[in-house]
Amino acid sequence: QVQLVESGGGLVQPGGSLRLSCVASGTIFRIYDMGWYRQAPGKQRDLVAVITNDGSTNYTESVKGRFTIFRDNSKKTMYLQMDSLKTEDTAVYYCHAVVEPRDWDKPGDYWGQGTQVTVSS
């Protein structure tokens, strides 16, 4: 079984910074793409940033230049460095990963439980 656990959320003032972490654990043979999604109240869950297992990244337009996604494959951990935060970044942030639990398994989609990020003065 694969678990993803996020941490690092909290309350921050506009212009501030936070770093989110997502640790993968359990039965894991290989992790493919990993990404961060967010969901604001009353809205759908949207992609924020994605990173492949060789480090290629892609960001939604609204966070380009402010957020940085990176991963440490040896620690099975992904991060999201969020700088110059805005009130509109307020949301629950979810970690997502495509994981092959064992070498004979098909890769599957896994989600964390989410961490709240609130940007407010």
Side-chain angles (χ1 to χ4, degrees), residues 57-84:
T57 60
N58 197 17
Y59 299 87
T60 191
E61 193 64 35
S62 63
V63 308
K64 286 182 180 178
R66 301 189 298 121
F67 291 10
T68 304
I69 188 172
F70 58 104
R71 63 194 279 178
D72 184 335
N73 290 334
S74 67
K75 296 181 179 179
K76 298 184 179 65
T77 302
M78 174 182 64
Y79 305 91
L80 185 69
Q81 177 66 39
M82 304 186 293
D83 298 318
S84 302

Side-chain angles (χ1 to χ4, degrees), residues 96-117:
H96 170 263
V98 179
V99 179
E100 190 175 350
R102 293 163 295 190
D103 61 358
W104 59 85
D105 286 324
K106 290 183 179 180
D109 291 286
Y110 295 87
W111 292 88
Q113 82 288 351
T115 185
Q116 176 71 46
V117 172

Side-chain angles (χ1 to χ4, degrees), residues 4-5 9-10 12 18 21-22 32 39 43 53 56 61-62 64 68 76 79-80 84 88 92 100 105 114 120:
L4 301 177
V5 178
V12 63
L18 282 175
S21 300
C22 171
Y32 295 91
Q39 187 168 20
K43 296 187 177 181
N53 61 359
S56 297
E61 193 64 35
S62 63
K64 286 182 180 178
T68 304
K76 298 184 179 65
Y79 305 91
L80 185 69
S84 302
E88 52 262 43
V92 178
E100 190 175 350
D105 286 324
S120 175

